[in-house]
Amino acid sequence: MQKKYLIGKKAVVLLLIPALILISVFLIFPAIWVLKLGMTNETLTGIKAREPDFVGFENFSRVFSDRFFYNALKISLLFVFGSAIVGQAGLGMILALLTYRRSRRLKTIVQSIVILAWIIPEVVVAYLWIAFLDKDFGTLNVTLSWLGFEKINWFYNHPILTIVLFNTWRGTAYSMLLFSAALETIPPSYLETADIIGTTSWRKFKDIVLPNIKGYIFTDFILITLWTFNVFTPYLLTGGGPSFKTELLPIYIYRNAFKYFKIGYGSAISTIVLLINLLLAIFYITLSRRKKT
């Protein structure tokens, strides 16, 4: 018995080796490398690109005293909450509920339209939104002008709202597909019984739908939060402006590392962002486990 247990344990370890190698190559080693770079004053060009000095935690200390870091962090958190949690998850849930228990044809049409926004290349999507929101010739402003309203400079007057709407439109497909699949796991008899006794839609959602798919909701929150926190696409729309009002953390890293050539400093910011991502993941996982207990 003991021998079989040991053989089984060795087999499990052997099966885990390929996964551990992949995780090490693509996650752990790059993270250690970025941490190492963050402790140097390496630059993209010049003498420090060839012979960087070890500066310890000096870059990290500078990051925490840099007001642009806090500005980028604040905008990133607003962006994640607005476009991922409220936008993508909220709209994805609404679309999934509206198409639940509907005809297959209607569901296919709605899902195809939403997925289309997801699969279009990012550069193309950015140009589409620029064409849609342009102050003088954008489709939206031309329509508003035709209806008698004043034209709005969306990129200048409402920069955060613009990138929030853009990212919501872009990424709702994943949440909608996940929630649609989750709704299919609910036993039909639950809702049929609720229909017979005349339960309201809100009570059905609150007492039947939500408890049965809450695990999927937390999975969606974890993934879309981390994806959105690291998204760079809004740069194609606004370039981080005006006046750094849409400078998310990835754009802030790019500006320091590749526009100001401060690779060491950019790596220090990247390490901090990595830790923030880790904290967000731990927060959601902890919250999910508490709900289960």
Side-chain angles (χ1 to χ4, degrees):
M1 187 70 181
Q2 183 68 20
K3 190 177 178 181
K4 282 184 180 179
Y5 173 75
L6 291 174
I7 292 172
K9 199 172 180 181
K10 286 179 182 176
V12 170
V13 172
L14 285 173
L15 290 172
L16 284 175
I17 286 176
L20 292 174
I21 291 173
L22 289 174
I23 290 172
S24 299
V25 170
F26 293 105
L27 291 176
I28 297 176
F29 290 155
I32 294 172
W33 183 254
V34 169
L35 176 63
K36 176 183 169 293
L37 281 179
M39 293 185 173
T40 69
N41 61 355
E42 184 169 334
T43 57
L44 197 60
T45 60
I47 191 168
K48 295 300 180 189
R50 188 173 180 180
E51 297 175 356
D53 299 320
F54 179 78
V55 296
F57 289 97
E58 183 182 322
N59 284 330
F60 295 90
S61 175
R62 284 175 52 207
V63 171
F64 287 118
S65 59
D66 185 353
R67 67 184 177 89
F68 288 106
F69 169 73
Y70 294 103
N71 173 67
L73 179 61
K74 184 185 77 175
I75 293 169
S76 292
L77 292 174
L78 283 173
F79 180 65
V80 168
F81 180 74
S83 70
I85 305 301
V86 177
Q88 293 179 10
L91 186 58
M93 177 64 79
I94 290 170
L95 290 173
L97 289 171
L98 288 176
T99 55
Y100 180 53
R101 301 171 81 187
R102 303 294 179 189
S103 70
R104 183 178 292 274
R105 178 176 295 180
L106 174 66
K107 184 179 286 189
T108 302
I109 291 172
V110 173
Q111 290 185 347
S112 300
I113 293 171
V114 179
I115 290 172
L116 189 63
W118 199 29
I119 62 174
I120 296 175
E122 292 181 342
V123 175
V124 177
V125 171
Y127 276 105
L128 285 174
W129 272 78
I130 290 171
F132 181 64
L133 297 175
D134 183 75
K135 182 190 173 187
D136 297 317
F137 305 107
T139 308
L140 182 57
N141 272 337
V142 169
T143 305
L144 289 175
S145 179
W146 183 70
L147 293 172
F149 295 99
E150 287 188 5
K151 292 182 177 179
I152 301 171
N153 191 342
W154 296 97
F155 295 110
Y156 186 80
N157 294 331
H158 307 287
I160 295 180
L161 177 64
T162 299
I163 61 172
V164 164
L165 292 176
F166 162 76
N167 198 55
T168 300
W169 180 85
R170 169 78 174 159
T172 297
Y174 176 79
S175 297
M176 182 195 69
L177 291 174
L178 182 64
F179 293 146
S180 294
L183 290 172
E184 297 298 332
T185 65
I186 300 174
S189 58
Y190 291 6
L191 293 170
E192 288 168 2
T193 306
D195 288 336
I196 291 171
I197 62 176
T199 308
T200 63
S201 298
W202 168 246
R203 288 297 300 271
K204 280 190 281 186
F205 175 74
K206 177 174 167 286
D207 298 335
I208 300 174
V209 174
L210 211 53
N212 280 283
I213 67 168
K214 63 182 179 184
Y216 297 90
I217 294 173
F218 279 112
T219 301
D220 185 61
F221 279 179
I222 291 173
L223 293 176
I224 63 174
T225 295
L226 298 183
W227 289 340
T228 306
F229 202 78
N230 298 294
V231 75
F232 186 75
T233 316
Y235 180 81
L236 301 173
L237 212 63
T238 64
S243 303
F244 308 103
K245 287 180 181 174
T246 58
E247 188 175 70
L248 305 168
L249 280 170
I251 300 173
Y252 173 63
I253 294 170
Y254 168 78
R255 180 163 65 86
N256 281 281
F258 299 106
K259 293 184 79 173
Y260 299 160
F261 303 155
K262 297 186 289 187
I263 293 294
Y265 189 68
S267 299
I269 305 167
S270 299
T271 306
I272 294 169
V273 171
L274 183 67
L275 292 174
I276 294 173
N277 277 305
L278 185 63
L279 289 175
L280 287 172
I282 291 171
F283 168 74
Y284 278 124
I285 292 170
T286 307
L287 200 62
S288 172
R289 286 178 179 171
R290 280 186 184 175
K291 292 289 180 184
K292 283 179 183 175
T293 58

